[in-house]
C-alpha cells in the first residue's frame, strides 16, 4: 500500500488510482451495542486479485481486540494511526477481527454514533473505517450480513437489505440479523437502533412486485411523516416512468434523526435522514420546506440506481453519482412542479455559491484532481455544476438519446464501480454524437465567460452574433482551453413573436454549439430590433457579457417563451439599475417603475413566478459584479430601491394583495398565492401601508407556517416596531419544537443592527444554541454570514472574529461541520484591503492551531496559499 493512505493531511491524487490487490466475497458483521463500549466483530472472505500479498485496512478511533486469519491468531501486521498493514497473506483466507468503539463520545457524527438516544451510522465518504478495519474504498464491493444486538429499549434494530432473523437474548437484550442481497461498498452500509414510531405503507412496482415502505420517526412525530412518505411514492413512480428504473429490494426504510451532518444519506434500502428533511405539517413547515423534503427524498431514492447499483470507482469520481442524481432530482421536481421555478432555484446556486467557489481558493473541476479530506469535496461544484454538465449533455443529445445513453450506462456497469469517463462513453456510444471535446468539462475548473457582439445587416436582413469564450485562470489551474458549450437562443421580433432560427438556409432547433474560442453565427430573415434571449434557460454554466438595452430586456420580460428567461432579464434590469444608483446616484428609471406596475396588474398566471419577478436581486447577485465589494453601499441601495418601489407603487401593491386569497391548502395554486402574498406583504411593510400592522398580525397568527413566517420576516426585515414582540411570541409558541426554533434562529442571525454579532456570541456562550447539533449551528450562523452582510463584514472585523472563535470550538467537536461553515471566509479576496487583512488574521489564527483537523487544514492552507 502507498504511504499516502497512512498519514493525515496528505494530498491524494486522482491519477494515483490503483485497483485493490484483494477483494472480499462476503462480510459478516456483528454489533453488540453499548453506549461507550460497542463490540464489533467482522468475518470476511478475502481473495487475492493483484500481485501484492500485503493488505492495507483503513481503521481509526477504535481499539483492536483480536485478529485471526483462517482461524489462527495473526500477528504479522503493522499498525499506524490510520490503519493496519497485514503481511505475507495467503491468496484466499478468512479474516476475523474484533474491535471496540465508543458511539456516545463520537461527536463527529461520522461512523457509529448516538443521536439523541438512537444509534445510527454515517459512512460516506470514509466513515466505515471508524467502525471496523476494512478496505474503506468504493471499489471494494461485497455482500453484507449484519447482526445487531442491543437492549430491548431499542425496539427497532435495522440494517441494509432484508431481515432474516430476530430473537431474544439474556439480560434484557435482543437481536436482528439483516442480509443485503446486493454487492455494495462500505460507504453504503448502515445500522440504526432506536425506539421509533413507524409509518407503514407500500408500493407496487410497474412489474407488479410489492415493496414495503417504512418511515421511522421519533416518538410523537407521526403527524409529520405523511409528506415524506407521499414524496417517496411519487419518486418511485417517476423513476419508472421517466428513467425506466424500478426499485430492487422488498423493503425501503427511511429513518429520521436529529443529529446529522447533511440532508440525508442513500444507504442501500435504509436511508438515514436529517429530521429537518423529513418532518412536516402545515403548522410547522413552510411551503419551501415541503419542496425541499420532496426533492431530497427523491434524490436519495434516485441514488438507488445512480450511486448504489452503479457506484464510483474512487472518490474523485463523486460527480458520477452526485451530479447525475442532482440532475435526476431536479428533473423530478420540474416534471411534477414548476420547471421555471426549479430552474430559477438551480441557477441561483450556480451564480452564487458555485461561481464563488470557482473564483476562490477551493476551485476544482467537477472531477477533482487532488484531495486531502474527501468530505471537503461534497461541493456545489461536484453536485450542482456536475448536474449542469449532465444537463448540457441532455441538451446536446436530446431526451431520447440521453435515455438510451442511461440504459447503456446501466447495462454496462450495473453492480460495479465506474468512472465519469464510462458515463460519457455510454452517452456517446448510444447517441453517436461526439463528446470528446465536451468531456473537458470534467477536467477543467472555473467559470467560462461568454462575450457576445452583434451586428445587424439591414440589406440582407441577417443578424450576426459573434461569440467568444474565455475561462479565467483559477487557483488550482492556470491554463484553460475552449469547451463545447451548448447555447440555447430565442429571437423575438419587435412585435413580441418568437422567430425561427435559420442558419445557412437550415432551421436550427433552439441550440447552437460553441466549440472554438470565437465563432460567428449568422441568422437569416431577421427583422431589425429583434431581441435576443441568449443562453435561454441557462443552457450552460457560464457568465455572459452582452450589451442589451433596457427596451430589449423589457421585451424579453414581456414576451420570452421561457419563464426562466423572463426572470433572468428582470434580474439583469434590476442589477443594472442598482449599480447605476450605487455608482452614479442614478434614480430608478420610470420605465422600470412602469414595468413593475405592468407586472403587478398583469394576469401572469403563475403567481409564484410573478413573486420571483417582483423580487429584487440578492446582495450576493449585486456584489458579484464588484471588486472590491461595496458592502454598505449595496445594502443601502437595495433598501432604498425597495422602499422607493413600495412607496411609489403602494396602491397597486395593496390592491393586488387584497385580491389574493387561499385557505392553507397544499396545491400548486395555493402555494403560489402564499408566495406572492409574502412578497407583497414585505413591500407593504416597507412602505408603511396604513393597514400593515393588522395584516402582519393576521398572517402571524395563521396556523399555516408559510404565512406566519412571511409576516414575521416582513416585520424583521423592515424593522417594524412590532418585530421584537413578534419574535418573542414566536419563540414562546414553539419552544417545544427545535426544527421550528431553527427558523427563529435564522431570523435572529439576519437581524440588522449593531448588536447582532454580540447577541449571537452570547447565544452560543450561554448554551442557548447547542453547538453539537449541526442544524442549530447552521441555522444561526449561515443566515448571519450569508444574509447579514453589514454585521458579518463589519469594518472592525468582529464578524470574522466571531465565526473563527466558533470554528475553533467546533473543529474539536465536528470537523466536517466546521469545514462547511468556513466558506464565507474563503472569498476574502473580493473584499477591500482592510477587510482582507482582518480575514487573513483570522485564517492565520486557525492555521496556527496545533491540531487542526484535515478538514479545516485543507481549506485554510489553500486560502492562505492563494492570499
Ligand atoms: N451522499 C450523501 C452525502 C454524503 C456526504 C458525506 N460528507 C448524500 C447525498 O448526496 O445524497
Ligand atoms: Zn446525493
Amino acid at each position: 500500500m502507498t504511504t499516502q493512505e497512512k498519514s493525515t493531511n496528505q494530498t491524494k491524487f486522482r491519477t494515483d488510482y490503483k485497483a485493490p490487490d484483494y477483494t472480499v466475497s462476503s462480510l459478516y458483521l456483528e454489533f453488540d451495542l453499548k453506549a461507550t463500549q460497542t463490540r464489533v466483530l467482522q468475518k470476511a472472505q478475502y481473495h487475492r486479485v493483484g500481485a501484492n500479498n500485503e493488505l492495507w485496512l483503513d481503521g481509526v478511533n477504535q481499539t483492536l481486540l483480536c485478529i485471526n486469519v483462517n482461524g489462527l491468531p495473526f500477528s504479522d501486521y503493522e499498525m499506524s494511526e490510520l490503519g493496519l498493514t497485514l503481511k505475507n497473506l495467503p491468496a484466499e483466507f478468512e479474516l476475523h477481527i474484533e474491535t471496540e468503539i465508543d458511539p456516545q463520545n463520537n461527536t463527529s457524527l461520522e461512523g457509529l454514533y448516538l443521536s439523541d438516544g438512537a444509534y445510527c451510522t454515517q459512512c460516506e465518504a470514509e466513515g466505515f473505517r471508524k467502525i471496523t478495519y476494512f478496505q474503506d474504498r468504493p471499489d471494494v464491493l461485497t455482500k453484507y450480513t449484519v447482526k445487531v444486538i442491543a437492549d430491548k429499549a431499542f425496539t427497532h434494530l435495522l440494517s441494509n437489505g432484508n431481515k432474516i432473523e430476530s430473537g431474544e437474548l439474556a439480560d434484557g437484550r435482543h437481536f436482528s440479523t439483516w442480509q443485503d442481497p446486493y454487492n455494495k461498498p462500505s460507504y453504503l452500509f448502515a445500522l440504526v437502533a432506536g425506539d421509533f414510531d413507524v409509518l407503514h405503507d407500500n408500493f407496487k412496482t410497474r412489474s407488479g412486485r410489492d415493496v414495503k415502505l417504512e418511515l421511522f420517526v421519533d416518538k410523537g412525530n407521526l403527524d409529520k411523516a405523511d409528506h415524506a412518505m407521499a414524496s417517496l411514492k411519487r419518486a418511485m413512480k417517476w423513476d419508472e416512468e421517466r428513467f425506466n428504473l424500478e426499485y430492487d429490494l422488498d423493503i425501503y426504510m427511511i429513518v429520521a434523526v436529529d443529529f446529522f451532518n447533511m440532508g440525508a444519506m442513500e444507504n442501500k434500502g435504509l436511508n438515514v435522514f436529517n429530521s429537518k428533511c423529513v418532518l412536516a405539517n402545515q403548522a410547522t413547515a413552510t411551503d419551501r420546506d415541503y419542496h425541499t423534503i420532496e426533492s431530497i427524498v427523491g434524490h436519495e431514492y434516485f441514488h438507488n440506481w445512480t450511486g448504489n447499483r452503479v457506484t464510483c470507482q474512487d472518490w474523485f469520481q463523486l460527480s458520477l453519482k452526485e451530479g447525475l442524481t442532482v440532475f435526476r432530482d431536479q428533473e423530478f421536481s420540474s416534471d411534477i412542479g414548476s420547471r421555471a421555478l426549479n430552474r430559477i432555484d438551480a441557477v441561483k446556486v450556480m451564480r452564487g455559491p458555485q461561481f464563488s467557489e470557482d473564483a476562490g481558493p477551493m476551485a476544482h473541476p467537477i472531477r477533482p484532481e487532488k484531495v486531502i479530506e474527501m468530505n471537503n469535496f461534497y461541493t456545489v461544484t461536484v453536485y450542482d455544476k456536475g448536474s449542469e454538465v449532465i444537463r448540457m449533455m441532455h441538451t446536446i443529445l436530446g431526451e431520447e438519446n440521453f435515455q438510451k445513453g442511461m440504459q447503456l450506462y446501466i447495462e454496462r456497469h450495473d453492480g460495479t464501480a465506474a468512472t465519469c469517463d464510462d458515463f460519457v462513453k455510454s452517452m456517446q456510444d448510444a447517441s453517436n454524437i461526439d463528446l470528446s471535446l465536451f468531456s473537458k468539462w470534467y477536467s477543467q475548473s472555473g467559470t467560462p465567460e461568454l462575450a457576445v457582439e452583434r451586428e445587424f445587416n439591414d440589406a440582407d436582413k441577417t443578424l450576426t452574433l459573434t461569440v467568444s469564450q474565455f475561462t479565467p485562470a483559477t487557483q488550482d489551474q492556470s491554463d484553460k482551453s475552449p469547451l463545447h458549450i451548448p447555447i440555447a437562443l430565442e429571437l423575438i421580433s419587435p412585435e413580441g413573436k418568437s422567430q425561427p432560427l435559420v442558419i445557412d438556409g437550415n432551421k436550427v432547433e433552439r441550440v447552437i454549439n460553441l466549440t472554438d474560442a470565437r465563432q460567428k453565427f449568422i441568422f437569416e430573415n431577421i427583422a431589425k430590433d429583434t431581441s435576443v434571449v441568449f443562453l435561454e434557460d441557462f443552457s450552460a454554466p457560464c457568465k455572459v457579457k452582452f450589451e442589451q438595452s433596457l427596451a430589449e430586456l423589457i421585451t424579453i420580460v414581456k414576451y420570452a417563451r421561457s419563464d426562466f428567461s423572463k426572470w433572468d432579464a428582470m434580474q439583469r434590469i434590476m442589477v443594472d439599475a442598482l449599480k447605476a444608483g450605487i455608482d452614479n446616484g442614478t434614480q430608478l428609471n420610470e420605465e422600470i417603475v412602469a414595468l413593475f406596475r405592468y407586472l403587478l396588474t398583469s394576469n401572469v398566471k403563475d403567481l409564484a413566478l410573478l413573486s420571483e419577478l417582483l423580487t429584487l436581486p440578492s446582495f450576493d447577485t449585486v456584489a458579484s459584479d464588484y471588486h472590491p465589494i461595496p458592502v454598505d453601499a449595496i445594502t443601502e441601495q437595495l433598501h432604498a430601491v425597495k422602499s422607493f418601489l413600495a412607496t411609489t407603487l403602494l396602491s397597486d401593491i395593496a390592491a393586488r394583495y387584497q385580491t389574493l386569497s387561499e385557505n392553507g391548502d397544499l396545491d400548486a395554486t395555493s402555494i403560489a398565492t402564499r408566495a406572492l402574498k409574502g412578497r407583497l406583504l414585505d413591500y407593504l411593510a416597507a412602505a408603511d401601508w396604513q393597514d400593515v400592522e393588522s395584516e402582519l398580525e393576521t398572517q402571524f397568527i395563521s396556523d399555516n407556517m408559510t404565512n406566519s413566517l412571511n409576516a414575521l420576516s416582513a416585520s424583521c426585515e423592515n424593522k417594524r416596531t412590532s418585530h421584537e414582540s413578534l419574535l418573542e411570541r414566536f419563540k414562546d409558541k414553539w419552544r417545544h419544537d427545535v426544527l421550528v426554533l431553527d427558523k427563529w434562529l435564522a431570523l435572529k442571525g439576519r437581524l440588522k443592527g449593531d448588536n447582532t454579532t454580540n447577541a449571537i456570541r452570547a447565544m452560543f456562550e450561554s448554551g442557548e444554541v447547542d453547538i453539537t447539533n449541526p442544524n442549530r449551528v447552521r441555522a444561526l450562523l449561515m443566515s448571519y454570514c450569508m444574509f447579514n452582510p453589514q454585521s458579518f463584514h463589519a469594518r472592525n472585523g468582529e464578524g470574522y472574529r466571531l465565526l473563527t472563535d466558533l470554528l475553533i470550538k467546533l473543529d474539536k467537536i465536528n470537523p466536517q461541520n466546521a469545514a462547511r461553515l468556513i466558506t464565507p471566509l474563503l472569498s476574502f479576496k473580493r473584499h477591500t484591503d482592510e477587510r482582507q487583512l482582518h480575514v487573513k488574521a483570522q485564517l492565520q489564527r486557525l492555521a496556527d492551531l496545533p491540531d487542526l483537523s484535515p478538514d479545516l487544514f485543507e481549506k485554510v492552507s489553500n486560502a492562505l496559499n492563494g492570499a
Side-chain angles (χ1 to χ4, degrees), residues 197-248:
D197 276 343
V198 193
L199 178 65
H200 295 272
D201 209 326
N202 50 67
F203 181 82
K204 202 182 234 347
T205 68
R206 198 161 57 169
S207 69
R209 283 185 314 102
D210 281 311
V211 181
K212 271 205 296 181
L213 309 178
E214 294 182 345
L215 181 49
F216 298 80
V217 295
D218 277 352
K219 291 260 170 207
N221 275 335
L222 267 187
D223 64 331
K224 295 182 187 155
D226 291 340
H227 175 64
M229 183 62 91
S231 302
L232 175 62
K233 294 203 284 186
R234 276 195 286 276
M236 295 176 87
K237 183 152 185 289
W238 179 86
D239 216 15
E240 291 182 345
E241 288 170 354
R242 174 92 188 259
F243 277 78
N244 205 19
L245 294 171
E246 199 175 299
Y247 188 59
D248 57 1

Side-chain angles (χ1 to χ4, degrees), residues 486-515:
I487 299 171
L489 285 174
E490 185 189 16
L491 299 179
I492 305 174
S493 72
E495 297 75 40
K497 294 270 173 310
S498 199
Q499 301 298 293
L501 306 183
V502 180
I503 296 182
D504 285 338
N506 300 316
K507 207 168 159 228
V508 174
E509 274 311 321
R510 198 174 157 256
V511 180
I512 55 175
N513 288 287
L514 177 69
T515 49

